[in-house]
Amino acid sequence: MITNTELEKKGNLFPSKLVSYEQNGDSICFTSENGVQLIITVVRDSMLRFRYATDGIFENDFSYAIDEDQSHGYSVLDLTEDEEFIWITTEQIKCRINRVDMRTAMFDLEDQLILQDELGFHWEESFEFGGNYVKMSKNSMDGENFYGLGDKPTTFNLKGKRLSNWNTDQYAFGKDLPELYKTIPFYIGLHSAKAYGIFFDNTFKTHFDFCHERRHITSFWADGGEMNYYFIYGPKIAEVVTKYTNLTGRPELPPMWALGYHQSKWSYYPEAKVKELAAGFRDNKFPCDALYLDIDYMDGFRCFTWNKDYFPEPKRMVEELEDDGFKTVAIIDPGIKIDEKYEIFADGLEKDYFCKRADGPYMRGKVWPGNCVFPDFTNPEVREWWADHYKTLIAETGIKGVWNDMNEPAVMEVPGKTFPLDVRHDYDGNRCSHRKAHNIYGMQMARATYEGVKKYIFPKRPFTITRASYSGGQRFSSTWTGDNLASWEHLWLANTQIQRLGMSGFSFAGTDIGGFADQPTGELFTRWIQLGVFHPFCRVHSSGDHGEQEPWYFGEEVLDITRKFVELRYQLLPYLYTAFYQYCEDNVPILKPLVYFDQEDVQTHYRADEFIFGNHFLVCPIQEPNVQGRRMYIPRGRWYNFWNDAVIEGGKELWVDAALDSMPIFVKEGAIIPKYPVQQYVDELEIEELSLDVYYKNGKQNSVYYEDDHDGYDYKMGLFNLRSFKLTGKSKEIIVQQHVAGTYESNLKTMKVTFHGLPFEIKSASVNNEDVSLESIGYDKESNTIILQENFTDLRLISE
Ligand code: MIG
């Protein structure tokens, strides 16, 4: 788009006046005098979809992003008209369509204007490629702020930014780059304490301008395809995010081991080195669940092969690692080496599964194996073929997870670092060029990988991770933020990016802890681990050519501190797993930025260092060298300092001490936090006693704890427990009630309940409505703990 509104108007085509409209079920089609059609579909009472066609022909309605299982259906759809406008009213919103120019405006039912077209829909014909450049501009309201857009490495609040989506391999990316590895064309607008979302479901290169070009205008446009977007009403950010996530889907529950600490490097080889690494963790009593094999495990970088010099017996090695509590994860790239003797190349050639140029030759490009061809993952047959190749890796060799890289797709030594635009793709039967398929190539590769791993790991659960993705890719894979740098700025970016991904439906994400390129100091490594243990995905990874990045490499002090934080993550696994359950089941992001937590508090609108982990933890990383603490914002409510139980009234900025062995962590009052003992890896111990940390509140608070087998699918048949805890605190009494839904029989026998911040001395107790002696519940005055049967339903502690 261009800066001058006059020029913008002249260079573009616009819908003219409305001549007719017609309702067809949940959709209303509007037609203008110059042949523009707009279909508005009521997806839900709070969600409308807008599609425009400029010459009366809509594309085949196909999207890789939308989840088939999304909830839809509305309770009200009223279509009314007056002289100037047509109105669509649902149970939650009103949409106004202007008869003169088809511009639209959205209102809530209190007639608060939420969003309205400025120029509205307009387009420019593309002579070179056919079709149109499709554009939309909206008025931005006073004080409006913006969030979302996936992995962008920029300030959390997007106001004033211009960004675009074209999946790119960005080694050592810089702050404020407009494009990275992923395309998530979804943002949230917030003004007047009300939030809405826009999901622009278009896989061509897309662009977003948040009051950058013109201070009161927000616009989005694409280099091709349809103007096809969803308007999602909140009014809470939380509702926008969960509705968007429901629309584009969320993953199945990962196996619990995937939430442990993972160690990676480019590359650990040969076998002796991997074994030494494994021993390093166990010898140092540093918990770890997974080790990663980067590209050097392959034979000449050929996918699904092994370098037999480095790894003579992969199956045996993987088994031995497993005996020691380590899962092995292996990388798989999309480039297939051109080599007639290489079976996958020969087979793919015969089956015609590789991408081709417009005039017929194969798409050839250089990646790690040298000259390569690339499977067309947008072809469902190719995906199935690819999935089947995981049989050897997973079923026969025992690899437990797969890591997809280079799937932007990345190509070396060529301008643009990717496929030329003329490359042809199947796009699930909607044949197109790379202009349309580029941004979903990585997601479709991850999808094929997911299907394969899932098939061959059954009855266990799959674990996959991908670098490139598109909206909805969270259904198939976790992700990491790519090739970052060992710098303090990148630690800051890591924090912003993972929160942003969470707001964009992609909770299962992490960064290369410590930085991929360059080497961190022990201090930076420590601070990064402190943040990383609060990220849904927690993996140390580095390029390997800048020195080592194992936790013991930086000396005793760093080892001790980082161990303490990784142990904390392992203690909090039941809490984190519960947050995953709520994400996978209820679409709730695992990390909640402050603005998500309390959008009515304007202090939160530009705050992004602090975030909520799960439902009850407030965390704030230290992002600067040589400091003994920092100032941070404590959101409204009362919070316990995790380290010393000091209670703080929020709604203010505060200095918090945090020497290198500490970081600011707070727990919301009323919370009940489930904890495991420290383990060296998930399921090392049969856990018979769960700790419950109860943080007193004068009032009521609910908490939940989800438990199942940590792997497998029995939970889908009801073999899980959802334990809901209700805390009621009074000045001289505290009541904790437990309700258990589900039929899972765990090893759990007892709960060790610790009370924090009790304002009275415990004198008497009742359990399940019967008076009991304090001795009988193992009351320990010093630590304020008691022991209960795991199935207790009602606990009362009284001061008299
Ligand atoms: O061109 O597989 O982001 O994590 O270690 C580099 C080697 C290719 C880039 C990935 C990185 C990985 C590396 N890969």
Side-chain angles (χ1 to χ4, degrees), residues 266 294-295 331 368 403 405-406 467 480 483 516 541:
W266 178 17
D294 207 327
I295 49 177
I331 198 168
W368 294 108
W403 170 22
D405 186 22
M406 304 290 278
R467 194 169 69 176
W480 89 106
D483 295 344
F516 178 72
H541 180 55

Side-chain angles (χ1 to χ4, degrees), residues 532-728:
V533 299
F534 292 104
H535 281 167
F537 179 63
C538 177
R539 179 183 75 160
V540 169
H541 180 55
S542 68
S543 64
D545 50 5
H546 302 96
E548 308 308 317
Q549 228 152 283
E550 292 79 49
W552 47 88
Y553 178 80
F554 304 92
E556 226 27 63
E557 190 195 6
V558 168
L559 177 63
D560 288 344
I561 300 171
T562 52
R563 183 197 293 112
K564 170 172 119 180
F565 278 88
V566 170
E567 285 179 351
L568 175 60
R569 182 178 176 96
Y570 275 75
Q571 289 177 295
L572 290 176
L573 276 175
Y575 175 81
L576 177 58
Y577 196 56
T578 300
F580 263 86
Y581 173 78
Q582 292 176 326
Y583 169 52
C584 301
E585 195 59 26
D586 306 327
N587 307 295
V588 178
I590 294 167
L591 304 189
K592 289 136 189 110
L594 287 198
V595 68
Y596 177 109
F597 180 74
D598 189 359
Q599 71 191 45
E600 270 147 43
D601 175 5
V602 292
Q603 288 293 324
T604 67
H605 294 191
Y606 276 93
R607 299 261 178 189
D609 285 357
E610 310 84 352
F611 62 91
I612 309 292
F613 167 72
N615 294 322
H616 309 290
F617 272 86
L618 167 67
V619 176
C620 187
I622 300 291
Q623 300 168 141
E624 272 180 301
N626 290 317
V627 297
Q628 296 297 314
R630 62 165 293 158
R631 290 193 75 79
M632 67 175 277
Y633 185 69
I634 312 285
R636 296 189 294 185
R638 281 157 69 89
W639 302 84
Y640 286 80
N641 186 319
F642 176 73
W643 304 109
N644 59 21
D645 280 352
V647 177
I648 285 147
E649 186 69 48
K652 58 173 178 274
E653 208 180 50
L654 206 76
W655 171 270
V656 181
D657 287 331
L660 190 59
D661 64 352
S662 185
M663 81 183 280
I665 305 175
F666 296 85
V667 185
K668 186 122 205 286
E669 66 164 353
I672 298 185
I673 311 289
K675 275 185 179 167
Y676 277 170
V678 172
Q679 303 176 84
Q680 295 308 300
Y681 54 92
V682 167
D683 291 342
E684 182 196 19
L685 308 174
E686 281 206 353
I687 294 167
E688 298 191 338
E689 185 168 271
L690 184 80
S691 298
L692 286 183
D693 277 33
V694 177
Y695 290 84
Y696 172 84
K697 171 184 184 172
N698 194 336
K700 289 182 195 298
Q701 176 69 47
N702 294 332
S703 305
V704 288
Y705 165 47
Y706 170 82
E707 62 177 350
D708 67 13
D709 241 350
H710 303 168
D711 206 339
Y713 291 95
D714 285 355
Y715 78 101
K716 291 214 165 178
M717 272 112 70
L719 292 187
F720 65 88
N721 293 326
L722 197 57
R723 297 172 185 262
S724 314
F725 297 106
K726 202 165 126 194
L727 176 148
T728 310

Side-chain angles (χ1 to χ4, degrees), residues 104 242 335 351 454 457-458 601 735 750:
T104 69
T242 53
K351 296 194 161 94
K454 186 169 169 164
I457 202 101
F458 189 82
D601 175 5
I735 305 166
T750 54

Side-chain angles (χ1 to χ4, degrees), residues 467-485:
R467 194 169 69 176
S469 204
Y470 180 75
S471 284
Q474 68 272 7
R475 300 200 294 276
F476 310 119
S477 183
S478 65
T479 192
W480 89 106
T481 55
D483 295 344
N484 58 5
L485 246 154

Side-chain angles (χ1 to χ4, degrees), residues 707 723 738 740 748-751 788-792:
E707 62 177 350
R723 297 172 185 262
Q738 177 181 215
V740 188
L748 212 62
K749 295 199 167 60
T750 54
M751 302 228 189
L788 298 176
Q789 296 300 306
E790 56 77 32
N791 60 356
F792 82 93

